[in-house]
Amino acid sequence: TFKLGNFNGFIFDMDGLVLDTEPTYFAAWQQAVATMGYQLDADDFKKLSGQNYRQVETQLKASLGQDFNLSDFKKLGTEYWRKYVREQGIAVKPGVIALLDYAEQQGIPVCLATNSWAVYARHCLAIAGLTRRFPLMVTGDEVKQVKPAPDIFLEAADRMQIDIHQCVIFEDSHAGI
C-alpha cells in the first residue's frame, strides 16, 4: 500500500472539482433548452455531470427526442454560457488554491485532466485566474477515449513523466471515478 509521501504527482479533474463550472453550464443549457421550447429538470442535468460534449448530446437526444436540434442547442448554449461567465465569473472550489500551493511548495507536479475540450478548459482557467497553476493539461479532445476510460489520467501521468501508480487523482464525478 502507498503512504501519502509516496505520491509524486497530482492529477486534477476540472469541472466540479477545481472550478465550479457545472452551474454555469447547466444555467446556459437550461436557457438554451427553454429558448428552443423544451424543458429539462434538475435530475436530467445531474445525469450530464462529468460527461464530455458528445455524451451530453447523446443524453439530450435520449431525453428530448431524436428531433432535438443539437446544432441550435450548441450555438445557443455557447452564447448563453459566454454571457453567463462574463457576468458571473467562474468560482474556484474551496481548498483548491491551498492544495495547489502545497503542491508547489513540495515540488509536486500537477496536471489538469478534464473531459472538457481544450478551448473550454483554457477559457475557464483564464476566467478563474488559474492558467499559470496548470501548465500541463489533458483534455477530452486529446485522447482516444474520455472518462470513464482511464486514457486521460494515463496521458496526464505521461506528460508529468511520473508512473500513474505514483499519482493522486482528484476527481468528483461518477464518470471520472
Side-chain angles (χ1 to χ4, degrees), residues 29-102:
W29 293 346
Q30 181 76 342
Q31 192 173 0
V33 165
T35 299
M36 294 171 68
Y38 292 85
Q39 185 175 331
L40 284 176
D41 62 30
D43 286 341
D44 290 320
F45 282 106
K46 285 180 187 170
K47 291 176 193 170
L48 304 177
S49 178
Q51 305 293 317
N52 78 349
Y53 195 74
R54 283 183 217 95
Q55 294 164 322
V56 167
E57 289 179 337
T58 300
Q59 187 68 41
L60 287 171
K61 284 265 194 189
S63 296
L64 301 174
Q66 294 304 309
D67 59 338
F68 182 73
N69 189 320
L70 292 173
S71 179
D72 287 353
F73 172 78
K74 186 174 182 178
K75 182 180 175 199
L76 285 169
T78 300
E79 178 184 318
Y80 292 142
W81 182 80
R82 289 183 191 275
K83 182 178 186 292
Y84 184 94
V85 298
R86 190 171 46 248
E87 293 171 359
Q88 306 290 325
I90 299 174
V92 177
K93 297 289 268 188
V96 169
I97 298 299
L99 189 53
L100 290 170
D101 287 346
Y102 171 80

